[in-house]
């Protein structure tokens, strides 16, 4: 039980740190990478990701407002890290990783 509580406390601390220190694009890229897990895309291809969340729900999960989340999705799409359709995202894990790692620079 203590091990579980410690793991949850670490995860909460990491999430609060991310909200306080990182831009929404970085948090969103990290969240999407977490959902993709260890899946890899063939060169020049993207991975399909069906979120199952509304934009409002997704915004709450990454600690943002819906309007800021929509702008962050636009930034990631303009950079080529994602492609949006009506029901899913097509993600380039390598590009998302570049966004996620940009906070460490």
């Amino acid at each position: 039980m203590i091990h579980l509580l410690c793991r949850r406390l670490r995860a909460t601390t990491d999430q609060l740190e991310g909200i306080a220190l990182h831009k929404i694009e970085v948090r969103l890229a990290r969240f999407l990478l977490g959902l993709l897990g260890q899946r890899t895309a063939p060169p020049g291809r993207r991975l399909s990701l069906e979120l199952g969340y509304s934009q409002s729900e997704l915004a709450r999960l990454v600690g943002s407002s819906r309007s800021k989340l929509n702008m962050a999705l636009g930034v990631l799409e303009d950079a080529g890290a994602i492609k949006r359709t009506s029901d899913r995202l097509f993600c380039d894990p390598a590009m998302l990783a570049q966004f996620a790692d940009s906070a460490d620079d």
Side-chain angles (χ1 to χ4, degrees):
M1 182 62 102
I2 291 174
H3 180 46
L4 173 69
L5 291 173
C6 288
R7 190 173 58 218
R8 298 276 311 259
L9 182 59
R10 273 189 226 102
T12 301
T13 301
D14 290 344
Q15 186 177 22
L16 289 173
E17 178 183 302
I19 290 170
L21 299 177
H22 303 301
K23 295 189 305 184
I24 179 67
E25 293 85 5
V26 172
R27 297 192 315 257
L28 180 57
R30 288 179 177 179
F31 182 80
L32 294 174
L33 284 171
L35 292 178
L36 290 172
Q38 298 301 316
R39 294 171 49 198
T40 57
R45 304 280 310 217
R46 294 185 174 130
L47 294 173
S48 172
L49 182 62
E50 189 171 341
L51 290 177
Y53 303 113
S54 69
Q55 279 193 359
S56 297
E57 292 168 329
L58 185 57
R60 282 191 293 269
L61 287 169
V62 297
S64 179
S65 67
R66 185 189 174 286
S67 61
K68 288 189 182 209
L69 174 81
N70 198 30
M71 289 189 326
L73 285 167
V75 168
L76 292 178
E77 190 167 29
D78 290 345
I82 64 169
K83 172 78 173 127
R84 292 187 273 184
T85 64
S86 61
D87 63 340
R88 66 189 59 208
L89 294 177
F90 292 90
C91 303
D92 181 337
M95 291 287 293
L96 286 174
Q98 287 177 354
F99 270 94
D101 294 339
S102 69
D104 298 332
D105 294 340

